[in-house]
Amino acid sequence: VKASFQTHICSIKCLSETKFQYKESEHKTVNPLMIPIVLGWDRQVSKHKLAGRRKVFYVAPCGRRLRTLDDVHRYLRTTNSLMEIDFFNFDWWLHVYNEFKPSREFCTIKDLSYGK
């Protein structure tokens, strides 16, 4: 359960807990777009009532809402995070929880080295 946002000035303290810190060696096998989610961020898609336009925003572990890549970049610099800006995507139609599965396999090779 996430804590509600408390008004504050973001700093290194926002991501000081080890569960919020990115370590490349630990996250090598994780989908890059899932890394913020694994590290305690929340990705939300909202839909405007009247126009029906959708917007994506990320909620940082401290509760701050970030609506653009510029906001995310500024936050990552302010908190001295090692996360990359490429881990964030603001396209509403992109589903970060989905894993890519090819619709059709052309061939299956169980051992690429053929036993050599």
Side-chain angles (χ1 to χ4, degrees):
V1 178
K2 298 228 183 247
S4 60
F5 179 70
Q6 300 287 325
T7 304
H8 69 285
I9 296 173
C10 288
S11 67
I12 296 172
K13 293 178 187 175
C14 291
L15 299 179
S16 62
E17 290 185 52
T18 56
K19 66 181 178 180
F20 301 138
Q21 293 176 3
Y22 171 67
K23 295 176 190 76
E24 186 175 355
S25 59
E26 291 179 16
H27 298 99
K28 276 185 180 178
T29 60
V30 178
N31 170 356
L33 295 174
M34 279 295 294
I35 290 174
I37 310 305
V38 170
L39 294 175
W41 292 65
D42 192 20
R43 183 179 190 268
Q44 300 178 352
V45 180
S46 65
K47 186 175 178 184
H48 194 275
K49 281 184 181 179
L50 301 175
R53 282 178 281 175
R54 294 186 176 122
K55 289 219 166 220
V56 171
F57 56 89
Y58 282 87
V59 180
C62 68
R64 173 135 352 244
R65 276 187 175 188
L66 307 167
R67 292 174 176 83
T68 66
L69 277 176
D70 286 338
D71 290 348
V72 171
H73 184 254
R74 193 174 312 111
Y75 182 86
L76 294 176
R77 280 195 345 234
T78 301
T79 57
N80 286 349
S81 175
L82 298 176
M83 276 200 292
E84 312 234 355
I85 194 74
D86 296 331
F87 297 162
F88 298 87
N89 186 294
F90 285 87
D91 295 327
W92 66 266
W93 45 264
L94 183 79
H95 302 284
V96 298
Y97 293 99
N98 291 354
E99 184 178 336
F100 175 74
K101 298 275 188 204
S103 58
R104 185 172 153 206
E105 282 187 38
F106 291 103
C107 66
T108 303
I109 302 171
K110 294 194 187 303
D111 181 6
L112 288 175
S113 68
Y114 297 106
K116 295 180 182 176

